[in-house]
């Protein structure tokens, strides 16, 4: 009789231990499921954006806006010489804190021929078609009735870089016409070759 009660007691104790373990496991798992996935961290006062972090410590990115450190990359296609050059610039003050929608609207209003290729808070890429020569070209022309050499600046404007002490009126009429129209060249070597023909 005592043996039976001992066996019964041990069995009952083991059964109770097993039930306690199962109950504890299920309740703990249920609490883990009910735990909130996101915890509020810091409110970004400058951009009025709230950041969250989840249980995996993965930060949710704040809204993409243009900041003072955003790089603007212009891919410039120059129609007059068919060259494509990349230009890096800082954002203008007027577009700071613009998101992608605001910036698209700004381009549509102010620069309808520009095309936005990529937008992020780190880098913006814009393609522009410009009806002018790129800064890689020189132009041989006329100033004060003398041969003059100009270079194109970033705005496509001619900037005088050298005057040649040779009167245009002493040249053949056909050469005078060429110079009045302007002879566009790609390098200083080409300038030397053309001037040699005019001066000799």
């Amino acid at each position: 009789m005592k043996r039976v009660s001992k066996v019964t007691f041990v069995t009952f104790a083991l059964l109770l231990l097993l039930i306690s373990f199962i109950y504890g496991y299920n309740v703990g798992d249920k609490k883990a499921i009910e735990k909130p996935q996101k915890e509020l961290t810091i409110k970004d006062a400058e951009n009025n954006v709230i950041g969250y972090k989840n249980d995996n410590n993965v930060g949710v990115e704040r809204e993409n806006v243009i900041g003072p450190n955003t790089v603007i990359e212009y891919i410039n296609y120059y129609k007059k010489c068919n060259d494509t050059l990349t230009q890096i610039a800082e954002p203008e003050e007027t577009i700071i804190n613009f998101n992608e929608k605001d910036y698209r609207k700004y381009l549509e209003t102010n620069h309808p021929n520009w095309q936005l290729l990529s937008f992020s808070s780190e880098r913006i890429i814009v393609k522009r078609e410009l009806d002018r020569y790129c800064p890689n070209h020189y132009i041989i022309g006329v100033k004060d009735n003398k041969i003059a050499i100009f270079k194109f600046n970033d705005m496509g404007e001619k900037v005088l870089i050298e005057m040649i002490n040779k009167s245009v009126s002493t040249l053949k009429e056909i050469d005078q016409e060429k110079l009045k129209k302007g002879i566009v060249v790609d390098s200083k070597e080409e300038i030397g070759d053309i001037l040699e023909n005019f001066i000799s």
Side-chain angles (χ1 to χ4, degrees), residues 2 20 42-43 67 80 98 145 156 160 169 171 178 188:
K2 284 184 180 180
S20 299
I42 300 165
K43 186 174 180 180
K80 287 195 174 178
F98 277 19
N145 201 41
L160 179 67
S169 54
L171 301 173
K178 284 180 185 176
K188 289 185 176 181

Side-chain angles (χ1 to χ4, degrees), residues 20-77:
S20 299
F21 176 77
I22 291 170
Y23 177 78
Y25 181 79
N26 284 336
V27 168
D29 197 33
K30 193 174 184 183
K31 281 185 180 176
I33 292 168
E34 290 173 356
K35 188 177 178 183
Q37 290 295 94
K38 293 181 179 178
E39 296 171 26
L40 187 62
T41 55
I42 300 165
K43 186 174 180 180
D44 186 342
E46 191 174 286
N47 294 315
N48 200 22
V49 177
I50 297 173
Y52 293 91
K53 67 178 184 182
N54 58 26
D55 291 337
N56 299 324
N57 291 326
V58 177
V60 177
E61 256 186 52
R62 64 186 183 91
E63 187 181 8
N64 271 332
V65 294
I66 299 171
N69 297 322
T70 303
V71 173
I72 300 186
E73 182 179 322
Y74 294 110
I75 299 173
N76 297 328
Y77 170 70

Side-chain angles (χ1 to χ4, degrees), residues 126-148:
V126 177
K127 184 178 179 183
R128 306 189 291 187
E129 286 192 3
L130 305 171
D131 192 21
R132 58 185 185 235
Y133 286 99
C134 76
N136 290 345
H137 300 284
Y138 299 89
I139 185 164
I140 305 169
V142 178
K143 183 173 173 63
D144 299 332
N145 201 41
K146 292 188 176 178
I147 298 174

Side-chain angles (χ1 to χ4, degrees), residues 142-175:
V142 178
K143 183 173 173 63
D144 299 332
N145 201 41
K146 292 188 176 178
I147 298 174
I149 300 167
F150 302 88
K151 186 161 176 46
F152 292 104
N153 65 13
D154 289 337
M155 300 304 295
E157 300 162 334
K158 292 190 302 183
V159 177
L160 179 67
I161 59 168
E162 191 178 346
M163 290 283 289
I164 308 297
N165 193 17
K166 173 78 173 176
S167 175
V168 176
S169 54
T170 61
L171 301 173
K172 295 176 191 173
E173 204 170 299
I174 191 167
D175 290 338

